[in-house]
Amino acid sequence: MRKIVECVPNFSEGNDRETIDAIAQAITETPGCTLLDVDPGKSTNRTVYTFVGDPDAVVQGALNSARVARARIDMRTHKGEHPRMGAMDVCPFIPVANVSMDECVAISKTFGRLAAEALGVPFFLYEASAVHDYRRKLPQVRQGEYEGLAGRLEEPEWAPDFGPAAFVPQWGATATGARSFLIAYNVNILGTSNQAHRIALNLREAGRGPDVPGRLKAVKGMGWFVDEYNMAQVTVNLNDYQVTPIHTLFEEVKKEAAALNVGVAGSEIVGLVPLASILMAADYYMEKENLFILDEDQKVRLAVERLGLNSVAPFDPKEKIIEYRVAETPDEPLAAMRLRDFVQEVASRSSAPGGGSVSALLVAMGAGLGAMVGKLTYGVRKFESVDAQMRKCIPPLHDAAARLIPMIDADTTAFKDFMAALRLPRGTDAERTARAEQMQAGLKKAIDIPLTTMKLGDGAWDALCDVARYGNPASRSDVEVGARTLETGIWGAYKNVMINMTDITDDEFRTRIVGEAEAIVKRAAQKCADVLEILESR
C-alpha cells in the first residue's frame, strides 16, 4: 500500500506574492508531491504550505522549497507577529497512511542533514526527532527568536543537529522533526463565547492552570464567538488524534454543554483530516448504536452526520480527507480487466499471468461467495434470529475478498521482477554476485506473494464455516462452490510457493516458509471438508 507523509513547512514570508508562488511552484514541480494548501498571512508575514507524498518525494519537495527560500528570503528585514527564527522557520513531517512515526523521524533527519549541507545553514531537530529533551518542544528551540539566535548558537548546548554552529543572518535557523497529525477542530455552541471558553478550559490538557488540569490529553483549546456563523465555538487543536480522537472531543463538549444548558450545533474541521480519524469516529458510533456497516463510504457518511460536519459548510470527503485528495488509480491492469479479457490473457502464449494470479483470483472468489451468502442472509426477516452470527462472519469474508484483489497483479509483478534479474549481466565476478543476489530477492518476493494469498484465504475459513452453519439454506450450493474454490486457490498458491522454493539458497528461510505453507494447505483441506459436512448435516 502507498505510503503517505505530510509535510507542513512554514516560511517567513507572507506578503511577497512572487516568493510565495515560487516556493509553491518548487513543491508542485517535485515528482511525487501533491501541494494541498498554501496559507499566507500578511500580519504574521508567514506562509504555511501543506503537501504530501511518499517518503523520498517529501524530502525532495522540502529541499526544493528550502532552496527557493534561501535565494529569496532575507531574515534581516523580516518583521511579523508570529514567533520565528528562520527563513524556513519549521518543517515538520507527519505520518498519514502506511508509515510510522519512526519512519518520519528518519525522514526529518535525512532532510535536515541534506538541507544543512546544501544550504550551509543550521538545523535543529524537535518533537519526536529531538535528540535532547530540553529542546524537544518548538517554543524551546525557538526561544529568543531570530534576534537572539546569534548569541544562542555560541552556547555549546545549543549547537545545531545539522549544519554550522554559526549565525547566518540571511537565513537564521530551521527546526525540523516528526510529529503527529494536528487536527484543527471546532464544535459549534448555541451560546456565548464565555460559555464556549468555560467548556474549553474544562477539556483542554492545560485546563485552568497547573493546579486544575483539563480532562483530555493532547488538546489545546479556547472559546470564541464567530460573527459569520452567529454561534460560539469551542476551538481546539487535537495534537494527537490517536490520544484524543475527534469523536471523543465532540462527545465531551456535548456533556459540558448539557451541564450549562446550551445547545451543540455540529462541528467543523479546518483544513484536512486523515481518513483514519474519520473511520475511528464511525467505529465509535457503530458500536454505540449497534450498527452494522461494511462500506467505507457509508462509514464516512455516518461520521459526518453524527459529528455534524456539514453544519456551517459542506464537508466534501473528496476534498477534506487527505487520502482521497491524493488517491491514484490502482496499478492493477489484470484486476481491472473485463473477465473475458482476463481469461484470454491467461490463455495467451505467455507465462504471466499464470497459476499464481489465477490462484489469487480463486481465493478471492471463494471468500467473495461466502460474503455474498452472508449478505443475502443478514437483514432478511425470516433469518433475523441469526443476524448476530452474520454480523460476525460477513466482515472477515468481505475484507478478505477485497484484500485479495491486488494479489492478482502482485503475483505477475513478482514474476516479472525475477525475470528481470535473470537478464542482468554476468560477465564479471561482481556482476555474477549482484545477479545472484537479485535473483534470490526476486524468488523470495515470488514466494511471499502466494504465501500472502494463502494467509488471507486461511483467515476466511472460520467465517465461511459460520455462513455454512447459519446462512440462507437456499444458497447452499454457493457456499459449497465457495469452499471448494477457496481450497483450490490456496492449494494453487501453495504450489507456486513450492516451485519457487527450488532455487532458494537460504536454508532457514526455506524451512520456515515450507512449514508455514504446508500447515495452511493442510488446514484448507480439513476446513473445506468441515464446511461441506456442516452443509450436509443441515
Side-chain angles (χ1 to χ4, degrees):
M1 298 180 72
R2 183 186 177 194
K3 294 185 176 184
I4 301 177
V5 179
E6 182 186 52
C7 183
V8 190
N10 290 214
F11 290 91
S12 296
E13 178 54 69
N15 294 286
D16 183 350
R17 176 50 64 179
E18 288 188 3
T19 296
I20 294 170
D21 291 346
I23 293 172
Q25 184 177 359
I27 296 169
T28 301
E29 292 180 349
T30 302
C33 288
T34 301
L35 181 62
L36 301 177
D37 189 56
V38 179
D39 184 14
K42 292 185 179 297
S43 62
T44 58
N45 201 9
R46 183 182 187 87
T47 300
V48 180
Y49 298 79
T50 303
F51 68 96
V52 294
D54 62 61
D56 292 336
V58 293
V59 169
Q60 193 59 52
L63 274 171
N64 291 342
S65 64
R67 288 190 179 99
V68 174
R70 184 73 167 99
R72 299 186 66 100
I73 297 176
D74 190 340
M75 289 300 294
R76 292 174 294 186
T77 60
H78 183 272
K79 299 291 182 183
E81 295 179 7
H82 199 287
R84 81 284 183 268
M85 67 175 182
M88 173 190 261
D89 188 57
V90 61
C91 186
F93 296 89
I94 301 107
V96 173
N98 308 310
V99 63
S100 68
M101 183 64 74
D102 287 343
E103 287 176 280
C104 283
V105 167
I107 290 167
S108 69
K109 290 180 178 179
T110 297
F111 166 69
R113 175 178 56 79
L114 293 176
E117 291 173 357
L119 307 180
V121 297
F123 273 74
F124 292 94
L125 296 171
Y126 81 114
E127 283 290 346
S129 304
V131 178
H132 308 287
D133 282 339
Y134 66 87
R135 53 203 228 185
R136 184 168 299 276
K137 298 300 180 183
L138 185 57
Q140 294 173 318
V141 177
R142 202 160 51 192
Q143 186 177 1
E145 297 188 43
Y146 172 79
E147 287 75 13
L149 184 61
R152 236 174 171 213
L153 288 169
E154 294 177 356
E155 302 171 14
E157 64 270 24
W158 283 100
D161 294 285
F162 303 104
F167 184 51
V168 182
Q170 296 92 333
W171 180 269
T174 299
T176 187
R179 63 166 172 80
S180 299
F181 194 98
L182 185 152
I183 299 176
Y185 182 55
N186 302 328
V187 181
N188 305 318
I189 302 295
L190 300 176
T192 68
S193 60
N194 181 272
Q195 290 169 319
H197 194 59
R198 287 168 63 185
I199 294 172
L201 292 176
N202 290 340
L203 297 180
R204 69 185 188 184
E205 184 171 7
R208 298 172 183 273
D211 298 328
V212 190
R215 294 205 302 273
L216 302 180
K217 300 294 185 182
V219 175
K220 296 179 180 178
M222 60 179 289
W224 59 20
F225 196 88
V226 182
D227 292 332
E228 178 185 355
Y229 302 155
N230 193 28
M231 287 188 292
Q233 287 186 325
V234 177
T235 178
V236 303
N237 282 340
L238 302 176
N239 290 336
D240 189 339
Y241 69 85
Q242 301 286 353
V243 174
T244 296
I246 293 174
H247 62 269
T248 299
L249 189 284
F250 184 70
E251 292 298 321
E252 290 299 312
V253 170
K254 286 170 61 177
K255 292 178 186 177
E256 291 287 331
L260 295 176
N261 296 314
V262 298
V264 173
S267 62
E268 68 170 341
I269 291 172
V270 181
L272 301 174
V273 64
L275 175 62
S277 64
I278 297 295
L279 295 181
M280 287 169 66
D283 290 342
Y284 168 79
Y285 290 110
M286 286 166 56
E287 181 177 356
K288 180 181 179 181
E289 302 171 29
N290 194 29
L291 304 176
F292 182 64
I293 301 173
L294 285 172
D295 295 334
E296 183 175 286
D297 61 335
Q298 291 188 0
K299 290 182 180 181
V300 171
R301 179 171 293 189
L302 175 68
V304 170
E305 292 300 320
R306 294 296 183 270
L307 296 170
L309 293 176
N310 285 314
S311 58
V312 294
F315 182 92
D316 183 351
K318 292 181 180 179
E319 294 296 321
K320 299 290 285 186
I321 295 176
I322 290 178
E323 288 87 343
Y324 294 170
R325 281 284 299 271
V326 300
E328 297 178 348
T329 302
D331 185 19
E332 297 173 357
L334 296 176
M337 281 183 176
R338 295 185 307 166
L339 179 60
R340 177 184 298 274
D341 293 337
F342 179 79
V343 173
Q344 290 177 338
E345 186 69 19
V346 171
S348 68
R349 191 188 296 271
S350 172
S351 57
S357 292
V358 171
S359 296
L361 175 61
L362 289 175
V363 179
M365 296 300 288
L369 281 168
M372 179 195 79
V373 175
K375 293 171 185 177
L376 289 174
T377 306
Y378 176 75
V380 177
R381 177 175 292 184
K382 65 179 179 180
F383 301 126
E384 283 182 350
S385 61
V386 297
D387 273 3
Q389 287 84 358
M390 292 301 103
R391 284 187 176 213
K392 291 180 180 178
C393 66
I394 293 172
L397 292 165
H398 176 91
D399 292 343
R403 294 176 63 188
L404 280 156
I405 292 172
M407 306 308 294
I408 298 169
D409 284 275
D411 189 89
T412 297
T413 301
F415 179 76
K416 288 179 178 177
D417 288 348
F418 173 71
M419 295 304 294
L422 279 176
R423 292 191 291 269
L424 290 174
R426 45 184 169 172
T428 66
D429 288 343
E431 288 176 341
R432 284 188 288 273
T433 298
R435 178 176 180 271
E437 290 175 353
Q438 289 297 312
M439 287 176 60
Q440 288 296 304
L443 283 171
K444 287 184 176 181
K445 183 177 179 181
I447 289 167
D448 181 66
I449 297 300
L451 182 64
T452 299
T453 295
M454 294 181 72
K455 290 177 180 177
L456 290 171
D458 187 52
W461 281 118
D462 289 343
L464 190 60
C465 285
D466 280 344
V467 168
R469 189 173 289 113
Y470 302 110
N472 185 342
S475 299
R476 168 178 172 165
S477 63
D478 296 308
V479 181
E480 290 174 324
V481 173
R484 287 292 191 188
T485 304
L486 183 58
E487 181 199 16
T488 302
I490 290 175
W491 176 85
Y494 167 75
K495 287 298 182 179
N496 274 265
V497 168
M498 298 307 294
I499 198 168
N500 287 312
M501 195 65 72
T502 305
D503 295 320
I504 288 291
T505 58
D506 185 339
D507 292 337
E508 188 278 331
F509 176 84
R510 180 191 298 108
T511 301
R512 176 171 56 84
I513 298 302
V514 168
E516 190 173 2
E518 288 180 344
I520 293 174
V521 76
K522 182 179 179 181
R523 187 160 52 248
Q526 181 58 56
K527 284 293 187 180
C528 180
D530 290 347
V531 170
L532 300 179
E533 184 179 344
I534 291 168
L535 291 168
E536 189 66 30
S537 65
R538 288 189 68 182

